[in-house]
Amino acid sequence: MKTEVAIIGAGPSGLLLGQLLTNAGIDNVILERRSGAYVLSRIRAGVLEQGTVDLLREAGVADNLDANGLIHDGFEIAFNGDRVRIDLEGLTGGKHVTVYGQTAVTEDLMNARRAAGATTYYEAEDVTPHDVTTDAPYVSFTHEGTAYRLDCAYIAGCDGFHGVSRRSIPAERLNTFSREYPLGWLGVMSETPPVAEELIYATHERGFAMCSMRSPTRSRYYIQVAADESPDNWSDEAFWAELKQRLPADVAGQLVTGPSIEKSVAPLHSFVAEPMQYGRMLLLGDAAHIVPPTGAKGLNLAVSDVNTAYRVFRQIYDHSRPEALNAYSATCLSRIWKTERFSWWMTSNLHKFSDTPDFNSRMQRAEISYYLDSKAGRATIAENYVGLPFAALPAA
Ligand code: RFL
Ligand code: PHB
């Protein structure tokens, strides 16, 4: 079997890159370890930056998003009993975010790929990149008991944090930077109307909580828990009771509760691998970097890598510039580190790290009130939340 770009992983990174390449006439095959149904069962991100929405439109997969996405021109931070609104539109000259779930983005992309007739192998086993530092790389895998070899010109490693692509790079060729936080987010999805029109990030002495949504009838809530907490320790009643305690009283009074339709714990982790290229293999999205969810950046960062990789492939295929590949990593990383910074800042300052007041907790308080009390501070939060501009490739 032969293709131009072998894509490992059918999460949002792999599917979106595949769609853009297919539309541009650049042949690609996706190899995914799980079934399509399993990929769709993972409840993850909910907030899309404008650049993400624009790229989904460019890929021709935004009809449902445009019909059903919720435009949010502000969000709130609850701090010290006050609710402070970050006026995204007013502070950024008219920008906003769109609330539309990762599951829906993934489903739209899967449908578009099927309609385009592009090839995807779901439940592909033992996917392994080979000879990536030569001109003739290939990927081996097994599907329904048959072993295959996929020859290609390039490999896109879109296989998430636990994928094979990054692990196949020799350790001495990769620098990794990591921070584990001693916390996780316990998330609940429920068929209940959202407690407020906008998202709320709430600091509290019992720990952080946040209120999000997927639609006018579906809510997503999170509470800070220990990193190793099991969702099985939390009945729905216990979750709602704890959430109520952590929200400002007027918000808690509005909360409509109901049975959970999903409950899971996500550990908080910051991670970056440099460089994001090894020979003819690129790393995209969670395969190269992880952010804690507090800034709503993981999916958006993956999409900005896809934007850069797609422009690189257009340079290579439309303008015969194979050297464009060498600009990929540095172009992505400058934006990634700024986004890592914002996610780290939100995480470090909004969560509870100690049971007793200490220097760090006083600094958190000072840091948050300093930013929230000043228009410049709120503008800094707003411009990061709506998304920094996508980085352009250096001019040819
Ligand atoms: P994914 O989605 O992990 O997809 C990788 C795919 O690769 C497959 N795979 C393999 N395939 C073949 N062979 C192998 N050896 C393979 N190993 C793995 C996997 O099965 C999978 O299908 O990575 P991708 O595409 O880079 O997308 C990244 C995003 O999924 C992630 O960054 C976001 O979900 C993070 N995130 C959020 N991001 C936002 O932008 N806004 C948010 O509001 C937001 N909230 C969140 C989040 C992540 C969360 N969790 C659970 C980690 C909230 C949560 C709770
Ligand atoms: C979500 O809706 O799942 C969500 C929203 C904002 C975040 C993280 C997750 O910062």
Side-chain angles (χ1 to χ4, degrees):
M1 227 187 312
K2 197 168 169 19
T3 190
E4 291 302 326
V5 183
I7 300 176
I8 306 179
S13 312
L15 287 167
L16 180 55
L17 179 66
Q19 193 61 25
L20 289 160
L21 292 178
T22 301
N23 293 346
I26 302 170
D27 195 61
N28 62 91
V29 170
I30 299 186
L31 308 174
E32 164 62 49
R33 183 170 59 165
R34 304 288 195 166
S35 68
Y38 182 92
V39 172
L40 286 178
S41 72
R42 293 187 295 226
I43 307 287
R44 289 182 164 184
V47 177
L48 308 183
E49 297 173 355
Q50 189 59 49
T52 298
V53 171
D54 290 344
L55 196 63
L56 290 165
R57 287 196 185 126
E58 187 176 341
V61 292
D63 288 353
N64 287 338
L65 164 60
D66 284 328
N68 301 315
L70 307 172
I71 306 284
H72 281 220
D73 53 22
F75 73 95
E76 288 185 17
I77 296 180
F79 169 66
N80 253 355
D82 287 338
R83 296 167 63 183
V84 178
R85 182 165 190 264
I86 305 293
D87 174 8
L88 295 174
E89 204 138 276
L91 291 162
T92 63
K95 295 186 182 155
H96 56 249
V97 294
T98 303
V99 171
Y100 189 71
Q102 178 168 333
T103 312
V105 172
T106 308
E107 193 168 10
D108 296 344
L109 284 163
M110 278 180 173
N111 291 338
R113 187 165 181 88
R114 202 175 307 117
T119 309
T120 311
Y121 286 87
Y122 282 99
E123 301 187 75
E125 294 167 48
D126 302 325
V127 176
T128 312
H130 301 271
D131 295 353
V132 297
T133 56
T134 73
D135 288 347
Y138 68 97
V139 183
S140 62
F141 65 100
T142 304
H143 188 250
E144 293 178 348
T146 306
Y148 291 90
R149 170 183 169 128
L150 175 61
D151 288 292
C152 56
Y154 301 97
I155 298 172
C158 301
D159 46 354
F161 183 65
H162 299 288
V164 63
S165 304
R166 191 186 66 253
R167 275 188 286 119
S168 73
I169 301 175
E172 69 274 13
R173 300 298 299 270
L174 214 55
N175 275 314
T176 60
F177 305 87
S178 177
R179 166 155 301 185
E180 313 265 354
Y181 306 85
L183 3 139
W185 277 19
L186 171 64
V188 158
M189 188 83 91
S190 63
E191 293 293 354
T192 53
V195 68
E197 273 181 27
E198 297 186 336
L199 272 53
I200 303 174
Y201 293 75
T203 61
H204 194 271
E205 59 196 22
R206 296 181 67 87
F208 172 80
M210 99 145 285
C211 309
S212 183
M213 66 192 73
R214 290 292 176 276
S215 75
T217 56
R218 185 174 279 201
S219 301
R220 179 72 163 157
Y221 296 105
Y222 297 97
I223 55 172
Q224 169 186 346
V225 292
D228 57 358
E229 182 67 297
S230 163
D232 302 337
N233 293 338
W234 289 81
S235 66
D236 289 356
E237 293 67 32
F239 178 86
W240 294 122
E242 186 61 34
L243 177 65
K244 269 188 188 164
Q245 291 205 59
R246 296 184 187 188
L247 297 177
D250 55 334
V251 179
Q254 298 288 318
L255 185 70
V256 179
T257 63
S260 64
I261 52 175
E262 195 264 359
K263 199 186 281 159
S264 53
V265 173
L268 271 52
H269 189 189
S270 299
F271 174 87
V272 181
E274 296 181 351
M276 292 165 60
Q277 176 204 354
Y278 180 58
R280 285 175 167 250
M281 181 168 75
L282 301 181
L283 300 178
L284 291 86
D286 280 17
H289 42 74
I290 295 283
V291 288
T294 328
K297 290 297 167 213
L299 171 60
N300 292 301
L301 214 44
V303 170
S304 75
D305 293 350
V306 170
N307 179 65
T308 306
Y310 170 60
R311 312 285 163 209
V312 163
F313 286 124
R314 294 294 298 262
Q315 286 288 318
I316 295 172
Y317 285 95
D318 299 355
H319 303 286
S320 306
R321 289 191 61 240
E323 68 278 11
L325 199 67
N326 302 325
Y328 172 74
S329 181
T331 304
C332 292
L333 281 166
S334 67
R335 187 177 187 278
I336 286 163
W337 275 113
K338 289 180 198 154
T339 308
E340 287 282 346
R341 185 205 70 82
F342 178 65
S343 303
W344 159 84
W345 185 87
M346 291 281 282
T347 303
S348 306
N349 289 309
L350 296 179
H351 292 82
K352 173 186 168 181
F353 289 94
S354 143
D355 283 331
T356 48
D358 58 5
F359 186 79
N360 184 56
S361 59
R362 286 289 188 272
M363 274 302 128
Q364 289 178 300
R365 208 152 76 176
E367 188 86 8
I368 299 168
S369 51
Y370 174 71
Y371 273 78
L372 295 185
D373 289 351
S374 114
K375 188 172 177 200
R378 292 193 302 278
T380 295
I381 295 173
E383 87 181 359
N384 281 278
Y385 199 81
V386 299
L388 300 174
F390 282 174
L393 288 172

